[in-house]
Amino acid sequence: MRWSGQAIDAERTDALPGLASNSGLVRSVTTPEFAGVTFHEVLAKSALNRVPSADGAGTYGWTINPYRGCSHACVYCFARPTHTYLEFDGGADFDQQIVVKTNVADVLRRELRRPSWQGHPVALGTNTDPYQRAEGKYRLMPGVIRALAESGTPFSILTKGTLLRRDLPLLAEAAQQVRIDLAMSIAVYDDALQQQVEPGTPTTAARLATVRAIRDAGLDCSVFLMPVLPFITDTRAHLDDAIGRAAAAGATSVMYSALHLRPGVKPWWFAWLQQTRPDLVARYRSMYLDNTYAPKDYRRWLAERVRPILRAHGVAVGRVDPATGSMGFRDREERLRTIPTGRTASPLDEQSRPSVSPLQRADPGWGHRTASVGAASGPTLF
């Protein structure tokens, strides 16, 4: 969504080309605390985004993105192409040119008060992280959480940011009013590799400690083991360590999937791969050159490798909303219990309920096969 359609009139200062014509730009800011990063503060016209499901089922979801761009700088981030809508590139600009919707909480309150709002679940963190480092400066999330809870709107948060711990008292309070799903994204459990592929993120240990803090606050917390990097983090040793540490931290479920590379992400990923793992370039080209998702055989093999490890550690497999990529609400009855008092369910409530995972969406036979996975280890890839 282009910012020209999001913005309202505001005082303008000098801006980079992608924001120069944006009447909602307030100012662009640099600070020594965030070396190399520019924050473009804007006044947004809307906060809620309607997202159609990628499974073709006609369902949809709702998201909120307080920030555009992300200083986590994850090489594989699927959201990189969205920065080109602002006439930035999906590489260094995505990591260093961060758009901040400074008025997002106020706009959200107005939208949630509209009679047309149906109280659908809202997902945060499915495009860029709401708890990236800038949130420590801008403190947008407390207002967003309060607005959602006060309106009776259930919501989910997916983050790599340990700053979420700051808001745990507020989240625990909000959970008394609405259904909340929290998840920590922890894909890499090798410290050196984690700093290479996710250089702006908190350490794996710090994120696991945040999972424990969430559980100690009386809230559920899922772990997103996403993406699993083929031939890098898909060994039994790495997966067993990852799932075991997530379980020890108290994770209530684990979601996993193989790396997928959208067209706008591939150049940045392959540049990183060429520099750090040139021995794998040919293998990745054979898997992803003409595809977004890993081949079906690989995904089948990964499921057969992961499922026994999950069972061994007593961890449930989570589900993912096919529209937003966030945690899915478990069932229709649970969703209906979140409808604000005094409002009856509408057809849209049922329509917005997620039904399939990204793996099932990409491979319709996946669910049937993995439901009865035995002890077989699958094809040998090493």
Side-chain angles (χ1 to χ4, degrees):
M1 181 178 302
R2 292 187 181 275
W3 281 105
S4 60
Q6 282 281 297
I8 58 178
D9 290 339
E11 179 184 353
R12 291 179 51 196
T13 59
D14 291 341
L16 293 177
L19 292 172
S21 62
N22 190 328
S23 60
L25 178 68
V26 177
R27 62 175 181 165
S28 296
V29 180
T30 59
T31 172
E33 183 183 1
F34 296 88
V37 179
T38 301
F39 297 104
H40 304 284
E41 300 174 357
V42 304
L43 297 178
K45 184 177 180 181
S46 65
L48 289 164
N49 309 301
R50 177 167 161 158
V51 184
S53 172
D55 61 6
T59 59
Y60 61 91
W62 294 87
T63 67
I64 299 171
N65 299 303
Y67 302 93
R68 296 289 297 270
C70 185
S71 59
H72 287 338
C74 302
V75 179
Y76 55 75
C77 183
F78 68 88
R80 288 185 175 277
T82 65
H83 229 44
T84 62
Y85 297 163
L86 309 179
E87 298 176 31
F88 294 140
D89 70 47
D93 285 350
F94 182 84
D95 304 335
Q96 299 171 1
Q97 305 294 333
I98 311 300
V99 177
V100 185
K101 300 180 184 179
T102 57
N103 64 334
V104 65
D106 292 335
V107 173
L108 177 62
R109 287 190 185 91
R110 291 199 299 269
E111 292 179 331
L112 296 174
R113 285 197 296 263
R114 293 172 180 169
S116 59
W117 176 242
Q118 299 286 329
H120 300 291
V122 171
L124 293 110
T126 61
N127 189 52
T128 53
D129 201 315
Y131 282 108
Q132 58 182 283
R133 285 183 59 216
E135 173 61 15
K137 168 182 171 63
Y138 286 103
R139 301 183 66 88
L140 303 180
M141 284 299 290
V144 169
I145 292 167
R146 291 189 182 95
L148 291 167
E150 291 167 2
S151 70
T153 299
F155 62 94
S156 65
I157 299 174
L158 170 61
T159 183
K160 295 178 181 177
T162 56
L163 188 58
L164 178 141
R165 296 175 71 168
R166 178 200 67 194
D167 292 341
L168 278 177
L170 180 60
L171 287 165
E173 180 182 346
Q176 302 302 310
Q177 301 172 266
V178 297
R179 168 65 189 277
I180 296 176
D181 277 342
L182 302 178
M184 183 64 57
S185 176
I186 318 175
V188 181
Y189 290 73
D190 175 285
D191 290 343
L193 177 62
Q194 182 258 326
Q195 285 302 304
Q196 289 177 358
V197 77
E198 305 171 345
T201 61
T203 65
T204 298
R207 281 182 267 175
L208 288 168
T210 303
V211 174
R212 171 50 59 192
I214 293 170
R215 300 293 285 126
D216 289 344
L219 300 168
D220 287 349
C221 184
S222 300
V223 167
F224 272 46
L225 184 57
M226 298 182 181
V228 175
L229 306 176
F231 316 114
I232 300 175
T233 63
D234 59 358
T235 65
R236 280 195 180 88
H238 188 275
L239 292 170
D240 185 68
D241 181 53
I243 294 169
R245 291 171 70 182
T252 47
S253 66
V254 170
M255 281 77 105
Y256 69 95
S257 69
L259 175 71
H260 70 276
L261 295 174
R262 295 180 179 178
V265 182
K266 289 180 183 179
W268 312 107
W269 172 259
F270 275 98
W272 178 86
L273 200 66
Q274 182 66 57
Q275 182 179 7
T276 60
R277 291 297 305 269
D279 57 307
L280 293 179
V281 170
R283 278 183 162 183
Y284 269 82
R285 281 179 178 160
S286 69
M287 292 177 70
Y288 291 104
L289 188 61
D290 298 317
N291 302 295
T292 295
Y293 291 92
K296 291 181 181 179
D297 285 347
Y298 177 85
R299 285 183 272 123
R300 185 184 307 119
W301 173 87
L302 181 63
E304 292 172 349
R305 172 161 284 193
V306 170
R307 289 294 180 122
I309 298 174
L310 288 168
R311 287 198 296 266
H313 290 285
V315 182
V317 180
R319 65 179 298 178
V320 180
D321 184 322
T324 64
S326 67
M327 295 71 69
F329 284 78
R330 305 315 190 257
D331 51 50
R332 181 176 184 273
E333 288 71 27
E334 201 163 40
R335 165 69 187 95
L336 293 178
R337 284 198 295 272
T338 67
I339 296 173
T341 302
R343 185 174 67 77
T344 58
S346 77
L348 292 179
D349 296 317
E350 175 64 12
Q351 185 183 28
S352 67
R353 182 172 58 88
S355 57
V356 298
S357 74
L359 283 177
Q360 185 178 352
R361 180 173 71 240
D363 179 2
W366 179 85
H368 173 73
R369 287 191 297 272
T370 58
S372 58
V373 169
S377 60
T380 300
L381 297 184
F382 300 95

